[in-house]
RNA sequence: GUGGGUGUAGCUCAGCUGGUAGAGCGCCAGGUUGUGAUCCUGGAUGUCGCGGGUUCAAGUCCCGUCACUCACCCCA
């Protein structure tokens, strides 16, 4: 036998029974969106590279060194999506959704890809739920979006998460603030890499985890202290709405996100159970994205939640979210004639909406009963030669161990009535 | 891209100063061709990550390499 193939570095398979938890997390995170009138959008897993380089920003790590970019057979530069917002905005612009009623409220879920060094909670292939509300710059919409994310986490039963909130300002105030910050950073004792980062994206330096850097940042100017009147009013209104919605948060004036398009309201949900990673979701408002992709100058707000990371958080809190899968009824045949009947019965039950299964391959009664036990079924139907000769089957309650003979003519209805929902 | 840790059965791991490969769980079968989750008995699965070196002898020591993993960085 040759070497077995392995999943590529930084990727993983989600297998039963864990996969049931994955589905539960994904569905729980999206349920509040569906209730809030968000429509589902599906966009390609890959886009023209320019969608991300223009949308996300050339200076970001995501674009500059983490994208899966390749030239396709037609000579086009193609990139596997490293996030969802740019692709959704591309579709929004391409299909002129802005010509209809605003805001356009959308959600999607699926795979995203970044070429990173993998570690706990960080993979090259990961799954996100992504949400956008585009076309209206209303603080109430910011609050709605944040609240919907929080609702998803709460619905999962998560307790140890925190909402970090700030405002990154906009074109009316961020350029001036940026100059202040650049001047401040220029006076610090920083290493080469950090100094370069201070020039490309000075805000990101505020987020540096190293104590020797943080120690120098105590007196750094903060965006929230230099907001223009309009962005300050916007941020105040967002906070009022969040309070009304019962969402609690922590002011995080040094919060910086990795994508360039964020303006005004910016937030991140963090959880401590993810090893070195902390963000389970994050997002914010983006003013320039639509225009950068050739659309009208419209603002939007959105967020992305990491499904895999949220699952890690769920597991870290020891939450039992996946109601066990398995079937309701399990049919145990003995002998060829019974086997044929079993296959037919299982088919009928499934058609009637009752989940059912039977054994395949040659298994003795003991092995078949063991399989019945493992299947999660509440009841087993035992079909043996002796029963068939008498025109009956044994319907066994696997929990109480009670067993009754049921005439074959009534079997289907009886099983359905006994285990059916 | 930089650093640390770990590679032994399907899984979790033990294996001392080198001396013929182990346990638990799981799986399969038997005890009972008519009954599972308990109990008893038996069985299968390993080029001990890979390559080289030292040695009479290497899972064990040395070198290299690959993989996984954690952390830096960055982020979901």
């Amino acid at each position: 036998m040759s070497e077995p193939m392995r999943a590529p570095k930084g990727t993983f398979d989600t297998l039963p029974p864990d996969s049931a938890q994955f589905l539960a997390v994904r569905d729980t995170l999206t349920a509040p969106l569906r209730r809030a009138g968000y429509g589902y959008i599906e966009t390609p897993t890959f886009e023209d590279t320019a969608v991300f380089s223009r949308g996300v920003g050339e200076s970001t790590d995501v674009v500059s060194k983490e994208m899966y970019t390749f030239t396709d057979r037609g000579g086009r530069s193609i990139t596997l999506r490293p996030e969802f917002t740019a692709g959704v905005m591309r579709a929004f612009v391409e299909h002129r959704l802005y010509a209809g009623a605003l805001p356009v409220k959308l959600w999607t879920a699926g795979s995203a890809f970044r070429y990173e060094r993998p570690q706990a909670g960080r993979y090259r292939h990961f799954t996100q739920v992504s949400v956008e509300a585009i076309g209206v710059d209303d603080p109430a919409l910011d609050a709605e979006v944040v609240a919907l994310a929080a609702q998803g986490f709460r619905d999962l039963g998560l307790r140890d998460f925190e909402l970090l909130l700030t405002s990154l300002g906009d074109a009316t105030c961020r350029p001036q603030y940026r100059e202040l910050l650049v001047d401040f950073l220029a006076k610090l004792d920083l290493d080469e890499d950090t100094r370069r980062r201070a020039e490309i994206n000075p805000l990101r330096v505020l987020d540096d985890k190293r104590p020797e850097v943080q120690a120098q940042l105590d007196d750094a100017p903060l965006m929230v202290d230099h907001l223009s009147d309009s962005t300050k009013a916007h941020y105040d209104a967002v906070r009022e709405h969040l309070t009304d919605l019962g969402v609690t948060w922590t002011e995080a004036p040094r919060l910086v996100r990795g994508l360039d398009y964020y303006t005004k309201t910016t937030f991140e949900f963090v959880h401590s159970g993810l090893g070195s990673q902390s963000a389970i979701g994050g997002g914010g408002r983006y003013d320039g994205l639509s225009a950068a992709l050739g659309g009208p100058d419209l603002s939007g707000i959105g967020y992305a939640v990491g499904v895999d990371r949220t699952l890690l958080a769920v597991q870290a809190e020891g939450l039992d979210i996946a109601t066990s899968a398995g079937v309701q009824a399990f049919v145990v045949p003995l002998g060829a004639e019974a086997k044929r009947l079993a296959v037919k019965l299982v088919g009928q039950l499934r058609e009637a909406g009752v989940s059912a299964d039977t054994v395949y391959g040659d298994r003795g009664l003991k092995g078949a009963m063991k399989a019945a036990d493992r299947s999660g079924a509440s009841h087993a139907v035992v079909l043996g030669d002796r029963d068939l000769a008498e025109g009956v089957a044994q319907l066994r309650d696997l929990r109480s161990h009670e067993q009754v003979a049921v005439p074959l003519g009534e079997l289907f209805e009886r099983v359905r009535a006994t285990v059916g929902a």
Side-chain angles (χ1 to χ4, degrees):
Chain A
M1 209 159 69
S2 60
E3 276 284 294
M5 310 257 281
R6 323 176 59 114
K9 188 182 185 75
T11 70
F12 58 92
D13 302 306
T14 303
L15 310 171
D18 291 351
S19 52
Q21 293 195 330
F22 175 87
L23 286 178
V25 168
R26 196 189 61 189
D27 293 346
T28 304
L29 289 173
T30 60
L33 307 168
R34 288 173 277 166
R35 287 199 296 270
Y38 284 65
Y40 180 73
I41 180 171
E42 178 100 15
T43 63
T45 305
F46 57 84
E47 297 275 355
D48 285 339
T49 300
V51 170
F52 303 115
S53 55
R54 271 156 57 187
V56 176
E58 297 275 11
S59 74
T60 62
D61 279 23
V62 167
V63 169
S64 63
K65 53 190 190 193
E66 295 178 358
M67 295 205 304
Y68 278 94
T69 297
F70 60 97
T71 303
D72 74 6
R73 290 168 190 275
R76 307 168 190 87
S77 180
I78 295 292
T79 294
L80 301 184
R81 60 187 175 203
E83 57 102 50
F84 284 74
T85 301
V88 169
M89 279 305 297
R90 191 272 307 146
F92 171 86
V93 170
E94 176 174 341
H95 301 291
R96 302 179 196 277
L97 299 185
Y98 49 80
L102 300 178
V104 174
K105 306 208 288 191
L106 302 167
W107 72 273
T108 187
S111 299
F113 309 86
R114 291 182 199 172
Y115 189 84
E116 299 193 80
R117 194 75 180 265
Q119 61 185 273
R122 192 177 78 181
Y123 314 105
R124 291 182 176 183
H125 166 256
F126 54 100
T127 306
Q128 288 189 337
V129 168
S130 190
V131 180
E132 317 295 342
I134 311 165
V136 173
D137 189 358
D138 180 343
L141 199 51
D142 299 42
E144 168 175 296
V145 160
V146 172
L148 287 171
Q151 186 66 52
F153 294 132
R154 277 203 305 271
D155 288 347
L156 284 166
L158 286 174
R159 304 185 62 83
D160 304 334
F161 69 90
E162 191 179 13
L163 167 60
L164 305 180
L165 186 70
T166 194
S167 173
L168 291 182
D170 65 8
T172 66
C173 50
R174 190 146 89 202
Q176 295 90 315
Y177 164 72
R178 189 189 150 109
E179 271 185 48
L180 273 180
L181 182 60
V182 167
D183 289 347
F184 174 86
L185 294 175
K187 290 179 230 151
L188 302 183
D189 174 30
L190 300 172
D191 62 273
E192 190 64 27
D193 278 355
T194 310
R195 191 156 291 287
R196 199 173 320 119
R197 192 148 19 110
E199 284 169 26
I200 300 168
N201 193 339
L203 272 67
R204 187 139 344 133
V205 178
L206 295 176
D207 212 20
D208 200 305
K209 283 182 202 160
R210 292 170 296 181
E212 66 270 26
V213 176
Q214 276 301 326
Q216 301 184 70
L217 295 174
D218 284 345
D219 300 323
L222 296 173
M223 183 71 243
V224 286
D225 297 326
H226 296 84
L227 294 175
S228 64
D229 290 347
S230 64
T231 53
K232 177 157 195 326
H234 183 101
Y235 190 42
D236 288 342
V238 169
R239 289 184 285 194
E240 275 178 16
H241 287 300
L242 283 176
T243 302
D244 292 344
L245 289 166
V247 175
T248 56
W249 70 91
T250 302
E251 292 286 335
R254 295 184 182 182
L255 177 66
V256 179
R257 311 224 64 246
L259 313 178
D260 275 357
Y261 48 64
Y262 288 114
T263 54
K264 300 198 185 90
T265 311
T266 301
F267 58 96
E268 196 164 287
F269 288 88
V270 295
H271 193 279
S272 56
L274 308 179
S276 173
Q277 320 304 318
S278 59
I280 54 176
R285 183 163 282 283
Y286 39 86
D287 285 346
L289 189 51
S290 171
L293 295 170
D297 189 13
L298 286 174
S299 180
I301 178 149
Y303 67 84
V305 171
V307 178
D308 326 277
R309 283 192 183 177
T310 302
L311 177 54
L312 288 175
V314 163
Q315 290 168 341
E317 291 197 27
L319 301 174
D320 184 22
I321 55 163
T323 50
S324 67
V327 297
Q328 296 166 283
F330 198 92
V331 183
V332 174
L334 292 171
E337 195 188 341
K339 171 88 174 192
R340 197 172 160 195
L341 205 54
V343 171
K344 183 178 171 187
L345 177 60
V346 165
Q348 287 175 324
L349 287 168
R350 288 172 178 170
E351 192 178 344
V354 175
S355 63
D357 203 0
T358 184
V359 284
Y360 296 96
D362 293 325
R363 300 277 292 246
L365 178 63
K366 182 169 176 160
M369 286 304 295
K370 198 165 181 174
D373 186 48
R374 265 197 300 253
S375 76
S378 62
H379 291 75
V381 176
V382 180
L383 292 168
D385 296 335
R386 194 192 301 165
D387 302 305
L388 294 184
E390 295 172 18
V392 299
Q394 303 295 331
L395 180 57
R396 182 178 179 86
D397 185 321
L398 290 171
R399 309 220 166 92
S400 70
H401 306 197
E402 284 165 22
Q403 184 167 313
V404 294
V406 176
L408 289 179
E410 302 169 20
L411 184 58
F412 166 70
E413 276 306 329
R414 187 70 179 276
V415 173
R416 182 162 76 161
T418 305
V419 307

